[in-house]
Amino acid sequence: MKLLIDEEPIPLLPSLVHLVGINGALVMQQVHFRSLISKNVRDGHRWIYKTYSDWTKEFTFWSSNTIRRIIYDLEEKGYLISAHHHNRMKIDNTKWYRIDYTKLPASTFELEQVTCSEAPCAPVEVKQVHVAELGKPITKELKESLKIKNKDQVEMNLDVAHIVIQYLNDKTGKHFKATSAATKKMIAGRVKEGYTQEDFMKVIDLKVSQWMNHAEFNRFLRPSTLFSATNFENYINELAVVQKSKKRLLVLPVLDFTKGDEHV
């Protein structure tokens, strides 16, 4: 088993280690790198968001409890700022992070970085480099960057799933879970086909009005029936027919009572 570097290392600045410790420096470096490629701009700052489970995938050598302690320490010292209020849904407790660069020396992220895997006795030559020239900071970063490109779409699908399933539960009194893998997959599939959140709600309204009070059909008020590819398309077309029939209003004759009993 090789213990020497032949994969991409996690960069580490000695000056940052002196400031926040080795563990804190590793986390700060990853937050910094993620911020460089983040498109999540709030309040004039770039933010990243991750669950503690997500962090363990980057720092596979730490437990989630260890990561919690490190992040809490950085927050307490003011180097790391975190928030929940940027989440789209109130039930989402995923933490958002950004670095308070005003707490750091100006040169902290301007020097070439060395890795914690290097022998401590080895001389380190420090020179000025541009941030963009730094190597990718974690293993399989290319694969990770591809995931980031699709993150906005994934988030949108998750939001739609939560809203749609909550709407279905409210209408039927049932307790389906938006976190179900099968449900998320079906809803994401319909969204990919171009259907909107409003389309889902219209289909739910239609089938609830038809099936809610019929025991033999009530059990079909479920995601697997309503949102399957074939059924959903059929229900959308059924909606078009129903809406069209509603537009055909009965035109009442205009009666002229001034003519008494005369017939035309």
Side-chain angles (χ1 to χ4, degrees), residues 11-190:
L12 188 64
L13 269 176
S15 59
L16 188 57
V17 172
H18 287 296
L19 193 64
V20 298
I22 290 179
N23 292 350
L26 288 171
V27 171
M28 291 276 285
Q29 175 57 51
Q30 289 303 97
V31 173
H32 173 66
F33 176 77
R34 292 292 176 203
S35 298
L36 295 179
I37 59 177
S38 174
K39 296 181 180 178
N40 299 301
V41 179
R42 304 288 189 278
D43 306 325
H45 300 283
R46 289 183 182 274
W47 296 76
I48 68 166
Y49 52 89
K50 280 182 178 293
T51 63
Y52 291 114
S53 177
D54 290 334
W55 280 121
T56 60
K57 295 175 183 176
E58 294 204 15
F59 301 112
T60 57
F61 42 85
W62 286 334
S63 68
S64 60
N65 285 335
T66 298
I67 294 172
R68 284 175 186 269
R69 289 195 295 270
I70 297 169
I71 289 177
Y72 178 77
D73 183 61
L74 291 172
E75 291 171 335
E76 285 293 292
K77 293 176 179 176
Y79 296 117
L80 199 60
I81 297 175
S82 62
H84 293 289
H85 64 275
H86 294 311
N87 291 313
R88 296 181 182 178
M89 301 186 67
K90 292 183 179 179
I91 62 173
D92 188 354
N93 290 320
T94 303
K95 291 181 76 172
W96 291 55
Y97 303 93
R98 71 175 178 86
I99 294 173
D100 186 351
Y101 291 100
T102 63
K103 297 280 188 180
L104 303 175
S107 61
T108 300
F109 287 104
E110 295 175 359
L111 301 179
E112 182 175 73
Q113 306 198 21
V114 297
T115 72
C116 56
S117 300
E118 294 182 40
C121 59
V124 178
E125 180 181 354
V126 180
K127 64 179 182 179
Q128 295 285 338
V129 296
H130 192 275
V131 169
E133 296 172 1
L134 296 177
K136 295 186 285 290
I138 64 172
T139 305
K140 299 181 181 179
E141 190 59 45
L142 178 59
K143 180 179 179 181
E144 194 68 27
S145 67
L146 294 176
K147 293 180 182 179
I148 292 172
K149 291 180 181 179
N150 297 322
K151 203 171 187 68
D152 288 342
Q153 183 63 43
V154 171
E155 289 173 356
M156 183 189 75
N157 291 344
L158 289 175
D159 282 346
V160 171
H162 278 287
I163 294 171
V164 167
I165 295 304
Q166 184 61 55
Y167 189 77
L168 176 61
N169 288 338
D170 290 343
K171 289 289 185 177
T172 62
K174 299 182 180 182
H175 303 282
F176 296 108
K177 294 182 178 180
T179 54
S180 163
T183 297
K184 288 191 294 185
K185 184 176 181 180
M186 278 189 293
I187 291 178
R190 305 296 77 75

